[in-house]
């Protein structure tokens, strides 16, 4: 292990600093990473800039390196653990006393990306809010119990993966029914937060800094009647969710015939194929829930890129999508979404 204690890259503005820090995070050098962030604090760099411009940006880069198959899952996990420690080190040096209201921060049920929302928690603490940070995967009923016990001014709800949107909807409705307005965030709500509004959130913010500014200047929002929650999730959505297990099992059986290479897979590849097939069904259900084909095709485009980086041809994903599609005889919207995804992956016909 390399411990970089004598770097020449000392400033956040130094063009080499981000690569230097990424190298430490990727090499498991947590001592170096902590020294780097505390060194920046000593120089007077605001904690907010370190969290957003260094720790968050590095995490995004970690995601790209994993997706490109340059980093293993283990390396990503180890890097994330170091980012969590670096964030804690920055937070430990700032002990702002609360002077604004109180905020509950939580990830929706089944959402395990706790670090992005932890950055939000520290940002709001720095701004002077009293923060109750509940962390990853908070079941809706427990969240509501917490609200009754603490009476916050807002719930900040994070959803990084769109498959959790139905749970996010239930949580948003429950919080608003308890009289607490919800600010939503995380990439699961779509690029411009389009699903946050659809699911009844009172506000949406793209970043922790945007959320801090909205909460400081324009809160609480005027709340409309929480009982008028939009109904989402039609028969197609319900059917796909109820038949999830059968859809996956049948798709995997049919895939073995349509794409015989899977019969040569080792255990790890077989497990990954089963997991990916599960994601196909889950993203399809989420796309049906919000009635938006783009949610599904964004996912399949992304999965295709991840698979290509691991030398799995698009043909394999197409076979998997068709193995699900061919079970959806009675569900035209779902079939249409799968067709749209397949058409994007098939090469354009040769004009000659
Ligand atoms: C680390 C990581 C994990 C870790 C999380 C550990 C942890 N303690 O957080 C683990 C291993 C658990 C994980 C699991 C998975 N992950 Co992951 N993960 C990541 C990674 C690399 C970094 C996440 C992070 O910390 N980002 C840094 C933050 C700062 O990013 P940010 O989005 O800019 O955050 C800001 C905003 O989102 C906003 N914000 C966030 N929440 C909220 C809430 C409110 C109220 C507000 C106002 C704002 C707000 O504020 C933040 C700060 O400004 C990302 C890559 C990436 N680009 O983010 C993938 C990523 C999010 N993961 C992804 C995937 C697919 C998964 C899995 C499905 C993988 C799998 N096959 O199992 C699972 C799903 C688990 C689940 N059900 O939640 C994909 C999602 C793609 C998609 N189509 O949606 C990504 C984008 C990877 C990629 N390159 O494509 N992951």
């Amino acid at each position: 292990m390399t411990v970089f204690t004598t770097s020449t890259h000392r400033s956040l503005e130094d063009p080499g600093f981000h690569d230097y820090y990424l190298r430490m995070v990727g090499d498991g050098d947590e001592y170096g990473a902590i020294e780097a962030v505390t060194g920046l604090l000593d120089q007077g760099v605001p904690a907010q800039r370190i969290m957003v411009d260094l720790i968050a940006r590095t995490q995004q880069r970690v995601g790209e390196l994993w997706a490109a198959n340059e980093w293993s899952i283990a390396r990503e996990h180890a890097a994330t653990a170091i980012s969590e420690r670096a964030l804690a080190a920055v937070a430990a040096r700032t002990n702002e006393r609360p002077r604004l209201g109180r905020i509950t921060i939580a990830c929706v049920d089944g959402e395990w990306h706790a670090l992005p929302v932890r950055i939000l928690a520290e940002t709001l603490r720095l701004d002077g809010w009293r923060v109750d940070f509940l962390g990853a995967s908070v079941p809706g009923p427990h969240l509501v119990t917490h609200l009754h016990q603490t009476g916050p001014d807002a719930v900040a709800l994070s959803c990084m993966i769109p498959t959790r949107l139905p749970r996010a909807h239930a949580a948003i409705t429950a919080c608003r029914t308890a009289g607490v307005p919800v600010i939503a965030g995380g990439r699961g709500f779509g690029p411009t937060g389009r699903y946050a509004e659809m699911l009844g959130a009172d506000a949406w913010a793209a970043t922790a800094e945007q959320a801090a500014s909205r909460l400081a200047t324009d809160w609480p929002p005027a709340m409309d009647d929480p009982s008028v929650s939009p109904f989402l999730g039609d028969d197609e959505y319900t059917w796909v969710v109820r038949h999830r297990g059968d859809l996956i099992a049948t798709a995997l059986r049919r895939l073995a015939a349509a794409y015989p290479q899977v019969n040569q897979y080792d255990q790890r590849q077989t497990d990954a194929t089963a997991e990916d097939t599960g994601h196909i069904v889950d993203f399809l259900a989420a796309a049906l829930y919000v009635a938006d084909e783009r949610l599904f095709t964004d996912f399949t485009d992304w999965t295709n890129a991840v698979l290509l980086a691991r030398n799995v041809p698009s043909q394999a994903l197409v076979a998997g999508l068709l193995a699900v599609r061919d079970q959806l005889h009675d569900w035209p919207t779902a079939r249409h979404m799968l067709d749209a995804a397949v058409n994007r992956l098939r090469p354009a016909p040769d004009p000659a």
Side-chain angles (χ1 to χ4, degrees):
M1 183 185 70
T2 325
V3 180
F4 299 89
T5 46
T6 54
S7 163
T8 49
H9 305 299
R10 285 278 176 203
S11 149
L12 201 49
E13 276 73 46
D14 184 329
F17 191 89
H18 284 87
D19 287 342
Y20 153 70
Y21 182 77
L22 176 69
R23 225 175 22 248
M24 286 191 293
V25 165
D27 287 349
D29 181 5
E30 62 181 309
Y31 309 100
I34 302 299
E35 270 175 25
V37 295
T38 50
L40 292 173
L41 284 172
D42 292 341
Q43 282 173 36
V45 178
Q48 182 62 32
R49 297 271 54 81
I50 301 172
M51 293 191 299
V52 172
D53 297 341
L54 186 64
I55 299 176
R57 258 173 65 184
T58 302
Q59 277 296 107
Q60 284 150 5
R61 189 77 193 104
V62 167
E64 287 162 12
L65 289 164
W66 169 80
N69 203 23
E70 289 181 40
W71 281 21
S72 68
I73 289 184
R75 200 170 180 197
E76 171 275 305
H77 281 21
T80 301
I82 294 179
S83 294
E84 277 170 352
R85 242 205 104 197
L87 187 62
V90 174
R93 290 270 295 264
T94 52
N95 209 16
E96 203 67 37
R97 294 288 153 178
R99 50 191 170 75
L100 303 173
R102 188 166 183 173
I103 293 190
T104 299
I105 300 189
C107 295
V108 300
D109 201 359
E111 173 60 74
W112 293 99
H113 295 90
L115 185 60
V117 85
R118 185 72 205 257
I119 292 175
L120 174 70
E122 298 310 336
T123 301
L124 295 180
R125 249 184 214 127
L126 277 173
D127 250 35
W129 292 90
R130 176 168 176 190
V131 172
D132 295 300
F133 179 67
L134 306 189
S137 190
V138 182
H142 294 278
L143 177 57
V144 171
T145 304
H146 179 85
L147 302 185
H148 287 307
Q149 285 164 352
T150 57
D153 301 282
V155 175
L157 201 61
S158 183
C159 176
M160 292 285 284
I161 299 276
T163 51
R164 311 318 302 165
L165 284 173
R167 292 294 173 94
H169 188 194
I172 290 168
T173 307
C175 293
R176 299 185 80 247
T177 305
V180 186
V182 176
I183 181 163
R187 60 178 67 210
F189 285 106
T192 52
R194 56 180 175 245
Y195 309 129
E197 193 188 344
M198 184 186 281
L199 303 187
D202 298 277
W204 172 81
T207 64
E209 284 170 307
Q210 276 183 24
S213 120
R214 170 75 203 260
L215 288 163
T217 55
D218 186 16
W219 204 264
M223 277 175 84
D224 51 17
D225 183 355
S227 64
V228 193
S229 168
F231 174 77
L232 296 166
D234 59 4
D235 290 354
E236 298 211 26
Y237 164 77
T238 308
W239 192 89
V240 168
V241 170
R242 289 222 176 114
H243 293 84
R244 180 182 190 275
D246 291 344
L247 276 169
I248 296 169
T250 306
L252 287 170
R253 252 193 337 270
R254 293 186 181 178
L255 182 64
Y259 187 74
Q261 289 90 323
V262 298
N263 298 309
Q264 315 301 323
Y265 280 2
D266 61 23
Q267 191 57 47
R268 191 192 54 76
Q269 291 169 309
T270 304
D271 291 347
T273 306
E275 199 181 316
D276 286 345
T277 309
H279 285 146
I280 292 174
V281 175
D282 293 342
F283 273 86
L284 178 67
L288 290 167
Y289 193 79
V290 295
D292 190 347
E293 183 178 294
R294 284 171 299 178
L295 188 158
F296 189 63
T297 52
D298 283 354
F299 155 73
T300 50
D301 287 353
W302 172 82
T303 303
N304 186 44
V306 168
L307 291 175
L308 286 175
R310 286 152 182 80
N311 298 317
V312 180
S314 306
Q315 198 197 342
L317 179 55
V318 167
L321 291 167
L322 292 176
V324 175
R325 176 200 183 273
D326 293 343
Q327 301 177 61
L328 299 167
H329 316 283
D330 301 328
W331 310 113
T333 312
R335 280 172 79 94
H336 190 270
M337 286 179 178
L338 283 150
D339 285 338
V342 167
N343 289 337
R344 292 165 72 90
L345 299 177
R346 281 196 169 134
D350 194 342

